[in-house]
Amino acid sequence: MAVGLSHPVCVDVPSETDAVLGKPFKLTCIACMRREEVRAITRVDWFYTPKEDGTLIPIFQYMNGRPKEVEGPWLKRLMWSGSADLQDVSIRIRNVTYDDAGTYHCQLFRQFEFDYFTPSVTKTKVIELKVKAKASEDPTALYSEIMMYLLLVFLTFWLLVEMVYCYRKISKSDEQSQDPATNYLAIPSEHKDNQAAPVCE
């Protein structure tokens, strides 16, 4: 039986849009190739558009197999976060500031290498980024914490009930074990008193 090598599954997921001030943030850009066995030349251009302006500002580039930072305010603030097979062509902001809020464009160009022709495809993904002062509460984590406390209270109550039940059971067992001994000791004493009583004729 022949076993072939399996290729990693590519899932096109949207990027998160809420960044936290002072924290790193990944701008996710997934571009799945339908035929992984076909070689392709890939180029990725990242652009930023401020909220008050519609100008596309180049901020990062991937070309000829190498990531390349672009001169300007974004220099040394971005890093490549893509995969080796270039299905994932994401980048990461090292330290988010309020100025990072705005629109990001991930522009991908692929030129496929077939025997007789070289078709190409261009894709663009847009990410609207918002910057918050602190991370918002995760409702799932909050519900989990509440359930944990409720479970702890229930287990404490159950343990208390079990302790009271066991204490009463042990106390009742001790009383029952003491009664026969008391009766046993009391019978000879009563019998002795009866023997010592004078017989009336």
Side-chain angles (χ1 to χ4, degrees):
M1 180 178 66
V3 178
L5 296 176
S6 61
H7 296 282
V9 178
C10 179
V11 180
D12 191 352
V13 296
S15 175
E16 294 184 5
T17 57
D18 293 335
V20 180
L21 183 66
K23 301 292 184 180
F25 183 81
K26 181 178 180 180
L27 294 164
T28 303
C29 183
I30 307 295
C32 298
M33 296 177 62
R34 295 187 177 182
R35 297 188 60 184
E36 298 178 7
E37 71 276 9
V38 177
R39 293 187 303 167
I41 298 173
T42 302
R43 171 175 172 167
V44 184
D45 291 287
W46 278 90
F47 301 93
Y48 169 72
T49 302
K51 288 185 176 181
E52 66 278 359
D53 192 1
T55 306
L56 289 177
I57 303 173
I59 59 174
F60 201 88
Q61 188 180 82
Y62 182 95
M63 186 171 59
N64 298 327
R66 293 183 180 181
K68 179 183 177 183
E69 294 184 274
V70 178
E71 293 290 338
W74 294 91
L75 189 63
K76 304 299 182 182
R77 297 195 59 241
L78 301 175
M79 60 183 297
W80 177 252
S81 188
S83 59
D85 60 0
L86 298 181
Q87 307 263 22
D88 184 351
V89 292
S90 306
I91 60 174
R92 185 179 296 273
I93 304 175
R94 298 177 187 272
N95 189 0
V96 173
T97 66
Y98 282 120
D99 294 334
D100 296 336
T103 305
Y104 292 82
H105 299 260
C106 171
Q107 190 175 88
L108 173 76
F109 172 82
R110 289 197 202 274
Q111 182 174 321
F112 299 95
E113 298 180 355
F114 291 96
D115 294 335
Y116 303 105
F117 63 105
T118 55
S120 61
V121 62
T122 301
K123 294 182 179 180
T124 301
K125 294 195 175 184
V126 180
I127 303 170
E128 297 288 344
L129 184 64
K130 301 176 183 177
V131 178
K132 298 182 177 181
K134 60 180 181 179
S136 57
E137 292 291 337
D138 185 4
T140 304
L142 180 61
Y143 294 152
S144 299
E145 187 175 354
I146 293 174
M147 291 301 297
M148 182 185 68
Y149 281 119
L150 290 176
L151 181 61
L152 183 61
V153 171
F154 172 77
L155 290 176
T156 304
F157 178 76
W158 177 80
L159 181 61
L160 182 62
V161 171
E162 284 291 321
M163 290 176 63
V164 172
Y165 173 76
C166 291
Y167 175 77
R168 289 183 176 179
K169 189 174 182 180
I170 292 173
S171 299
K172 187 176 181 180
S173 176
D174 290 343
E175 292 176 359
Q176 291 177 352
S177 62
Q178 289 176 1
D179 288 342
T182 304
N183 295 333
Y184 177 77
L185 293 174
I187 290 173
S189 177
E190 294 175 358
H191 184 65
K192 183 178 180 181
D193 292 341
N194 292 335
Q195 288 180 349
V199 178
C200 297
E201 295 181 356

